[in-house]
Amino acid sequence: MYLTAYHFAGDPQRILAGYETMMKDFPVESLQLHLSVVTFHGLSVFDGCPSYDEAVEFAQSDGFLKAIADAGLPSPRVEHLGEVHSSIPRVG
């Protein structure tokens, strides 16, 4: 699995509201690994795709770019991070 970070800069509460609006249209079963982190500068979203090529294709896809615009989000700074070595989820 390949991990990409999408950094949305701006008022964190406004960005978070737009993100939540956008995510209503993404079926949960389509997500393999997905984290959103509120920062002092906005919101960073970490998203896993099966491969680097698919991550690049998704980040540039008309559907994703339209979803961002429709939710009122600014264009993110996209950072391709690399292959996921391990993941240990623990929430709560």
Side-chain angles (χ1 to χ4, degrees), residues 73-90:
L73 290 168
S75 295
R77 178 175 59 85
V78 178
E79 182 180 9
H80 294 287
L81 298 173
E83 291 292 326
V84 174
H85 172 71
S86 66
S87 171
I88 304 170
R90 182 170 181 248

Side-chain angles (χ1 to χ4, degrees), residues 8-13 37-44:
F8 295 92
D11 173 60
Q13 294 308 311
V37 179
V38 178
T39 70
F40 293 112
H41 306 289
L43 183 73
S44 291

